[in-house]
Amino acid sequence: MILRKWDYRAHAYRAFQSPAVKPALYSEDMELLVDCANCGKELPFGDCYTSKTIHTEIGFGYGVCEDCYAKEIKEYKKWN
């Protein structure tokens, strides 16, 4: 699935081939199994973090796992 991922170096979105089959933006069911938008790992929606880099066209962040979110925070701190 092609998603948009923010590139801090270029200050622009780039096309990103996500391994996720079931990425999620929102769910009222916190037990719903979804895929991390970054690495594709399956996890309950309630365990997802809102991505700082993988967004929809209007800026909503996809759900990512804790490990990927930690990498995003590290990258954010590097460039900001």
Side-chain angles (χ1 to χ4, degrees), residues 58-76:
I58 59 173
F60 289 113
Y62 283 92
V64 293
C65 68
E66 185 174 10
D67 293 338
C68 289
Y69 187 74
K71 291 174 188 172
E72 288 182 354
I73 293 296
K74 187 176 178 180
E75 187 75 6
Y76 174 81

Side-chain angles (χ1 to χ4, degrees), residues 42-60:
E42 187 177 65
L43 68 159
F45 181 78
D47 290 349
C48 288
Y49 291 77
T50 302
S51 177
K52 296 184 75 54
T53 58
I54 305 171
H55 304 129
T56 65
E57 291 286 329
I58 59 173
F60 289 113

Side-chain angles (χ1 to χ4, degrees), residues 13-45:
Y13 282 100
R14 303 281 187 217
F16 168 66
Q17 180 65 45
S18 173
V21 176
K22 302 174 291 184
L25 295 167
Y26 171 81
S27 176
E28 291 183 13
D29 180 359
M30 295 294 118
E31 298 302 318
L32 177 68
L33 293 178
V34 299
D35 297 336
C36 170
N38 190 57
C39 71
K41 175 182 171 183
E42 187 177 65
L43 68 159
F45 181 78

